[in-house]
Amino acid sequence: MSRQYTLAVRFGPWYPLAAAGDHAPGAPGILQLRLATGLLDYPRGKSAMVHYAHAQDVRAAALALAGAHPGGHLVCRHLIEIEEATDLGAFHAKLRDEFVRRFGTPPAFPLEKSR
């Protein structure tokens, strides 16, 4: 992903995924999830990132993810600035592709421990 492409894009601050209903917009956008603490091993390094999503309703997508991954171990943020003409699907693909180039695999949720 070129720097020029990302200069007009800005994500907001991180917030607990469980609080997504209070923060995420009910509009199209991109969200990112990462571990609240710690790093995951990827083939070419370590990262806290576990997921990128392009959604027509960021709040609904974040709430669904919060329901599927309870426990407070994930934080979330969403796009707050992007040029109107930006294709969100293409931007999402660029984020994932850049992660794969850097870390050798797409971001992945950690395996949940059995209860």
Side-chain angles (χ1 to χ4, degrees), residues 66-81:
H69 300 279
H73 65 284
L74 297 174
V75 292
C76 179
R77 70 180 183 172
H78 60 273
L79 278 178
I80 59 172
E81 289 181 19

Side-chain angles (χ1 to χ4, degrees), residues 35-56:
L35 298 176
T37 60
L39 299 171
L40 295 174
D41 288 319
Y42 286 100
R44 291 190 215 132
K46 295 179 181 277
S47 177
M49 193 64 62
V50 298
H51 188 65
Y52 296 107
H54 169 220
Q56 292 305 308

Side-chain angles (χ1 to χ4, degrees), residues 6-99:
T6 59
L7 287 177
V9 173
R10 191 165 67 114
F11 282 88
W14 294 100
Y15 49 85
L17 181 58
D22 297 331
H23 299 281
I30 304 289
L31 51 97
Q32 299 177 320
L33 274 67
R34 69 171 176 83
L35 298 176
T37 60
L39 299 171
L40 295 174
D41 288 319
Y42 286 100
R44 291 190 215 132
K46 295 179 181 277
S47 177
M49 193 64 62
V50 298
H51 188 65
Y52 296 107
H54 169 220
Q56 292 305 308
D57 182 328
V58 172
R59 181 181 303 125
L63 289 172
L65 287 163
H69 300 279
H73 65 284
L74 297 174
V75 292
C76 179
R77 70 180 183 172
H78 60 273
L79 278 178
I80 59 172
E81 289 181 19
I82 192 165
E83 290 183 15
E84 190 174 320
T86 302
D87 178 327
L88 291 174
F91 180 68
H92 172 255
K94 284 182 180 280
L95 287 173
R96 285 182 48 90
D97 289 350
E98 179 62 25
F99 190 94

Side-chain angles (χ1 to χ4, degrees), residues 110-115:
L111 296 174
E112 304 290 334
K113 292 182 180 174
S114 300
R115 295 179 188 218

